[in-house]
Amino acid sequence: MGQRDYNVILDRLPEAGSRPEVLFRQAGDGFLQVEYGAVPRFNLVDSFRVLTINNAVKAKKIKGLYETVPGLRTNLFHFDPEALSVRDLISAIKEEEEKLAQVEDIEFESRLILLPIAFEDSETKKAVEKYVREVRPDAPNVINGYNIEYMALCNGVTVEDIKRMVCGTEWYNSGNGFWPGGGFFWPLDPRCAIVVPKYNPPRTWTPEGTVGIGGPCLYVYPTPTGGGYQLFGRTIPIFQFAQKHPLFKESPTFFRAGDRIRFHEVSEEEVLYIYKHVHEETDYEYDITPGIFKVRDWLDFYTSEEVQRGYKELLAKQEAGTKIAPKV
Amino acid sequence: MLKIINGGIETVIEDWPGRIGYLDNGMSSSGAFDNVALGLANILVGNPPGEAGIEIAGGYFQAEFGIDTVISITGTDMKPTLNGEPVPMWEAVEVKKGDVVKFSHFGELGFRAYIGVAGGIDVPFYLGSKSTCLFGSYGGFEGRKLQKDDIIKFGKPYQALSALAGRKLKKEAIPRYSREWVLRAMPGPNTCPDYLTKEGMDYLYENSFKIQLNSNRSAVRLAEAKDLAFARPDGGVAGGHPSNVLDHAYAIRGTLNICGNTPILLIADGPTLGGYMNALQVIYADLWKVGQGTPGRDFVRFIYCTQEEAIQARKEQREWLSEKSLA
């Protein structure tokens, strides 16, 4: 047998301006992964860049490129290597990367979607009860039948603070994945950046529309499924297989990469009423405002003294909370 | 049409290459777990190799035909019978209205059997494919595995039935099954020097891994790789274990996901994004073997493959799944 070559970095672009180093990683005969930075970091700016380049490369309509899967700091390109060589694909991506010098200048389409949420609703409670009954009777993240008190403990804040933080920021979608129609949402206001560990072991069931959080990432469960995020409430449908409601006519999924969601608290009755008017009456009108996201404006907000001071205060509370909260 | 008498352990409608283009919506491709057995089943009954057929995992499937047609049975030898008489595999067989096909359990070698039907299976296309995604409950027949009293419709035969009956494969076209499935695999995207050490990568390529019982259409779990050597002490911002990464897309189908010390092949209905590293990728032309690996019994072994070899293998597979394979 010949020598095995484990160098999978097929090409790279050096760091330039606000662009981190770009690594082109081999991911099989039909996949290429593009990654920002040799050292992983959690920075939403990378995601803004991923989505911008993603749209530009897709607009080229390259023959043989099937699809792309943007992540927080990576993008996966799925292609037919008989129709498109990986070298040509890399060249096409590099061309767009070279064109985009300053991430601060990025502006992209971003819908703002308002979603009602019922905190500590009865469906979420059923999921948590089932977990305690069937998976882990001594789960330390379950307090009084929910996870929200544990979330508060971990972050050194009160339950009311958690609700305020969930509703107090816009949540930015870095791209869909894991499960059909699910988005990966991150807080745009760092003062609302709740961080929690995930379930250990995971759940076997989560009801449709349940809202959970794992690490700093918020997720709405599109359909009943397993999962590992801490659960705190239920929102309205974001997925419909049957495609009966006008919103789902084009696609059974709702969220798009780059969308923002903002929650507002309602009663459980209202959430149930809306379910009926999405799935049965199909006449519920979703609150969606088209818009443009300007990275420079966001950076001004993010780096402002007030926001950074509030963020530091939260980090201090989280550090204290982490010491007290039981490990999962 | 076909009336199901016993759906067996897990019988689903699948086509190939499945549902392509929805990974960024969290929807995996699904598709036949063994596209070679399905492809050959289709060739025998005059269908294009990607047409939808019936995939039987484990066994015990039983059904009655509602019309005269031509079928083929491929994959693992589940001792299929027609009206109680043994029915030959890997050839086109005439069936009459009222005939009953019955399967025992998976054979000495392999885990999945396929039924190809002239005209294929007539289920609605959902997002461009007839494949069932069991974990998402969509596609195929009502998004689920087949059960008693289901009525499965067939498509219009592509060729005259009289021309199909009795078609056989060349002997060399019948795939060889074993207890150890050798999968050609390319390294990446997370390898050495930054994620695993060279020894860690060598370990993956030099050992045989048993397929665990808790495997399914989403994930084929392999035996724990205790000696897998990571190149870093932890996952940094992504988490405590060195296998943790900030969520990235999974190259479905065929990526080897490293979850803690457990290597998991993410396959048909697998998750599209997640927070664990991926060390290597089974090449497209060898994905079919994963579908024949028997949980709790068989082993997989990875052998090194280059991009050029993988592309050549795609071409060879296309030739294989064509009428050139007919005797």
Side-chain angles (χ1 to χ4, degrees), chain B residues 188-219:
Chain B
N190 306 118
T191 59
C192 72
D194 39 2
Y195 289 90
L196 292 169
T197 62
K198 182 182 173 297
E199 290 69 32
M201 287 303 294
D202 284 342
Y203 180 85
L204 291 175
Y205 278 111
E206 287 166 6
N207 285 279
S208 201
F209 298 92
K210 193 170 186 182
I211 299 171
Q212 301 299 294
L213 275 173
N214 58 352
S215 297
N216 53 38
R217 279 190 59 83
S218 167

Side-chain angles (χ1 to χ4, degrees), chain A residues 32-45:
Chain A
L32 172 74
Q33 187 191 64
V34 177
E35 180 184 38
Y36 291 141
V39 179
R41 62 175 188 179
F42 168 51
N43 189 334
L44 286 183
V45 165

